[in-house]
Amino acid sequence: RRMLLALKLLLDKMITYWHVSGVIEYVTNGERIKLYAEADDALTSKLYYKQKWENHILQWFIFFCKRSSFIIDAGANVGLFSLAAHKANQAATIYAFEPNPTNLKRLKTN
């Protein structure tokens, strides 16, 4: 029984870090956000496996985005916060900055 429990813990941890490919959907504050993944980033994988990713911060971010005319996403990664900002306030101008070339390419795709 201990061995099976240990195996279950190991498998749960493995599946959590198994990277996904394709378009994943993440729902926050009732809004659906689609992110493209190529099995090479942890963010989309965590969201796919229903793990929270700075969820409380994202909710506050959306709250303020609804009241802003321009929004800055510094260190935008693959664009989760930028896409959430766009869903929250399509009239706002959004500036997303990402220095990592791989993430920048994915940000542009998203």
Side-chain angles (χ1 to χ4, degrees), residues 16-36:
T16 300
Y17 294 102
W18 194 282
H19 293 303
V20 295
S21 286
V23 177
I24 66 121
E25 216 172 69
Y26 179 65
V27 179
T28 184
N29 287 359
E31 297 288 345
R32 293 180 186 277
I33 298 170
K34 292 183 179 180
L35 292 165
Y36 179 71

Side-chain angles (χ1 to χ4, degrees), residues 7-63:
L7 180 61
K8 181 189 178 313
L9 290 172
L10 176 65
L11 291 174
D12 285 345
K13 187 165 236 158
M14 285 175 61
I15 198 81
T16 300
Y17 294 102
W18 194 282
H19 293 303
V20 295
S21 286
V23 177
I24 66 121
E25 216 172 69
Y26 179 65
V27 179
T28 184
N29 287 359
E31 297 288 345
R32 293 180 186 277
I33 298 170
K34 292 183 179 180
L35 292 165
Y36 179 71
E38 288 186 12
D40 61 356
D41 81 86
L43 171 63
T44 51
S45 296
K46 285 182 183 248
L47 296 176
Y48 177 81
Y49 292 114
K50 309 293 186 228
Q51 291 186 341
K52 302 295 181 194
W53 186 272
E54 299 178 342
N55 200 42
H56 61 290
I57 295 169
L58 186 57
Q59 289 175 6
W60 276 106
F61 183 74
I62 290 170
F63 173 82

Side-chain angles (χ1 to χ4, degrees), residues 54-91:
E54 299 178 342
N55 200 42
H56 61 290
I57 295 169
L58 186 57
Q59 289 175 6
W60 276 106
F61 183 74
I62 290 170
F63 173 82
F64 289 112
C65 287
K66 289 179 181 180
R67 293 150 181 81
S68 302
S69 56
F70 75 93
I71 299 157
I72 298 173
D73 185 2
N77 197 299
V78 297
L80 173 63
F81 280 69
S82 296
L83 291 169
H86 177 69
K87 288 281 191 171
N89 185 351
Q90 294 182 6

